[in-house]
Amino acid sequence: MRPEHFEGTTDPMIAEKWIYKMEKVFEGIRCPEDCRISLAVTVMDGMADDWWTEHRRLFFSGRSIDSITWEEFLKAFREKYVPLLARDKFRKELTHLVQRDMTVTEYEAKFTALAKFSPALVPNEEEKCHLFCTGLRHSIRAAVVSFQHVVFSKLVETAVVVEQDQLEGQARREAIGKRKAMTFKTYQGPASKRSSSNGASTFASTSGSSGRPRCQICGNLHGGVCRVGNRTCFNCGEVGHLYKVCPRKMTAKGEESVPTSIASASGGRDGIAGVLGWECNTATRFGERGAQPRVYALTHQEAQESPDVIAGMLSLNDSPVVVLFDSGASHSFISKSIIQKLQLETCPLDEVLHVALPTGITIEVKLFVKVKIKIKDQEFWAELIVVPIIEFDVILGINWLSDNQVIINC
């Protein structure tokens, strides 16, 4: 570990950075207190060496270099290279520092650099967290303030996770907006005659060759109530599953017994989310169970367009997690990865579940956890079944939503 040479500068940041690096060297080689100045002055060259020689002659005359403390050296060094005017400027800049268009990582780096010049503003971790949180972008600050972090590294980690979650959510909304815009243009084609009233264009309720009216919601030709976007099966008309996993359709094809209770877990980095279900035979603490649970395929697009799911950041046992609220899920689940990350204690289920994944692999589900979930200032308990979720850490289904009288308002 070689110390960096210093020749003097007019930039206070460079001077402070040299001090920081020297102190890292002292710690790395376990340099005794009375030897620190001797090592520091050996790497001071040019104008910096001239300054120290003259300053020592004027202010430390008759004292050996070993008797001069590091604090005395720092005070003299900063008076020369980090003057009071510059320190006042940095203090004001730190006080008024806000994130704006910076990333959380960029904001943290600038905050930390300025904090070195203003120890009075950040005398401890709690004050440092408070000042840092004050300058965060409003949407991020609103999400992290409920965690009440007093450890700076934890606060920064949470802010980074929230920022990433918001960016992904924005990207999903923009993608949905583009798809809806393209669909709207498609409906404006030759088959869709439009009428205008007071300058506003609307779809006319014209009929096609089949004699059925054109729907004002989806633009297709059909009668009755439109089922687009209300999580209703297009085959049987029942709520809680999609056409591709309709029990009546699958029974008609001669397949094995089908699930009557559906639990959806939307999301997935590979564009797929699981839908878990089982026949209702034997009652357990987690609902009805009997036949082998199966995981069906649900496209990411279907999950994004669903009106009764919402994702966000919450606190689970005082740690930030990505949560999906899904009123179409009959039960609540937690990811194996977050169990390991947070070192949560698991409990055995009353009965082992054998879950078939879309890949054809069958896994055993044996465990659940009891955790504390915090939403703003309110705390809730939840019993979550451990399954291999990919994109979300926790899925809160209808059992948890109904127990706590939660209504999803998208």
Side-chain angles (χ1 to χ4, degrees):
M1 186 176 293
R2 299 178 60 182
E4 184 177 310
H5 284 253
F6 181 73
E7 297 183 353
T9 181
T10 57
D11 188 340
M13 281 288 191
I14 294 177
E16 195 66 36
K17 188 176 181 180
W18 180 76
I19 290 293
Y20 172 75
K21 289 183 177 180
M22 288 303 303
E23 290 181 336
K24 283 185 65 176
V25 171
F26 296 154
E27 292 178 4
I29 64 175
R30 299 180 181 179
C31 181
E33 182 73 24
D34 57 355
C35 295
R36 290 188 172 189
I37 297 179
S38 298
L39 178 58
V41 298
T42 59
V43 292
M44 293 176 68
D45 301 323
M47 296 176 63
D49 182 53
D50 294 340
W51 163 79
W52 171 246
T53 302
E54 183 64 13
H55 186 85
R56 182 184 175 188
R57 183 184 69 81
L58 294 174
F59 297 97
F60 299 112
S61 179
R63 292 177 59 181
S64 65
I65 196 167
D66 295 340
S67 68
I68 304 173
T69 65
W70 179 246
E71 285 70 24
E72 289 176 313
F73 176 83
L74 285 181
K75 182 180 178 181
F77 181 88
R78 284 177 171 142
E79 286 177 352
K80 170 64 177 177
Y81 295 106
V82 192
L84 182 60
L85 187 62
R87 278 176 278 172
D88 285 341
K89 177 184 175 183
F90 291 136
R91 274 194 291 268
K92 290 179 182 178
E93 190 173 347
L94 178 62
T95 304
H96 297 92
L97 180 65
V98 290
Q99 184 183 356
R100 288 196 177 91
D101 57 348
M102 291 186 287
T103 65
V104 171
T105 303
E106 291 169 342
Y107 170 65
E108 185 274 331
K110 190 167 185 178
F111 180 91
T112 301
L114 292 172
K116 295 177 183 178
F117 300 97
S118 310
L121 292 178
V122 286
N124 51 55
E125 284 275 286
E126 186 175 358
E127 292 295 330
K128 189 175 183 180
C129 289
H130 174 73
L131 189 58
F132 180 84
C133 196
T134 301
L136 283 171
R137 197 178 299 126
H138 175 73
S139 60
I140 299 176
R141 182 173 68 254
V144 304
V145 70
S146 61
F147 292 100
Q148 298 179 344
H149 284 302
V150 293
V151 177
F152 186 70
S153 59
K154 288 289 185 180
L155 172 60
V156 174
E157 179 185 357
T158 302
V160 169
V161 173
V162 169
E163 180 182 50
Q164 185 62 34
D165 180 65
Q166 291 180 354
L167 290 174
E168 291 176 358
Q170 181 180 352
R172 287 194 294 268
R173 288 191 295 272
E174 290 177 352
I176 292 173
K178 290 179 180 178
R179 285 198 298 270
K180 287 183 178 179
M182 292 176 64
T183 304
F184 182 79
K185 290 179 180 179
T186 302
Y187 293 156
Q188 303 287 328
S192 299
K193 298 180 180 180
R194 292 174 292 164
S195 61
S196 300
S197 176
N198 298 327
S201 298
T202 57
F203 291 116
S205 298
T206 57
S207 300
S209 58
S210 63
R212 291 178 293 179
R214 184 170 300 281
C215 177
Q216 299 286 326
I217 298 175
C218 68
N220 294 325
L221 298 174
H222 67 76
V225 179
C226 183
R227 296 172 180 169
V228 171
N230 62 2
R231 208 178 184 86
T232 302
C233 177
F234 281 71
N235 184 53
C236 67
E238 294 182 359
V239 178
H241 61 268
L242 300 176
Y243 172 81
K244 65 175 65 180
V245 292
C246 178
R248 296 184 184 181
K249 181 168 73 75
M250 296 177 68
T251 303
K253 292 182 180 179
E255 295 192 10
E256 59 185 14
S257 59
V258 296
T260 57
S261 174
I262 300 294
S264 68
S266 53
R269 288 191 176 87
D270 54 358
I272 292 193
V275 178
L276 285 71
W278 50 75
E279 273 192 31
C280 304
N281 291 331
T282 305
T284 71
R285 67 187 298 169
F286 288 100
E288 317 258 344
R289 172 165 85 240
Q292 182 191 49
R294 298 178 59 187
V295 178
Y296 300 98
L298 177 68
T299 66
H300 195 51
Q301 179 178 349
E302 289 170 337
Q304 290 175 339
E305 295 177 348
S306 176
D308 47 5
V309 300
I310 187 171
M313 291 291 303
L314 292 181
S315 171
L316 186 149
N317 286 8
D318 300 322
S319 298
V321 293
V322 180
V323 178
L324 177 74
F325 294 89
D326 189 353
S327 61
S330 63
H331 297 75
S332 299
F333 309 95
I334 187 169
S335 168
K336 283 185 176 180
S337 60
I338 203 67
I339 292 282
Q340 297 170 353
K341 180 180 178 180
L342 302 183
Q343 298 180 341
L344 300 177
E345 182 178 354
T346 58
C347 301
L349 287 166
D350 296 336
E351 298 178 18
V352 175
L353 302 179
H354 296 274
V355 181
L357 301 177
T359 58
I361 301 173
T362 299
I363 63 170
E364 288 187 348
V365 178
K366 305 177 181 179
L367 305 172
F368 77 96
V369 296
K370 187 173 182 180
V371 295
K372 180 176 64 177
I373 296 174
K374 186 174 183 180
I375 304 177
K376 291 189 175 179
D377 297 328
Q378 299 292 320
E379 293 184 346
F380 306 87
W381 286 99
E383 292 183 344
L384 310 174
I385 301 173
V386 181
V387 293
I389 307 171
I390 298 176
E391 182 163 326
F392 299 99
D393 298 324
V394 172
I395 295 176
L396 296 176
I398 193 63
N399 64 331
W400 185 89
L401 295 172
S402 60
D403 288 346
N404 294 281
Q405 300 181 354
V406 176
I407 298 175
I408 296 179
N409 183 7
C410 300

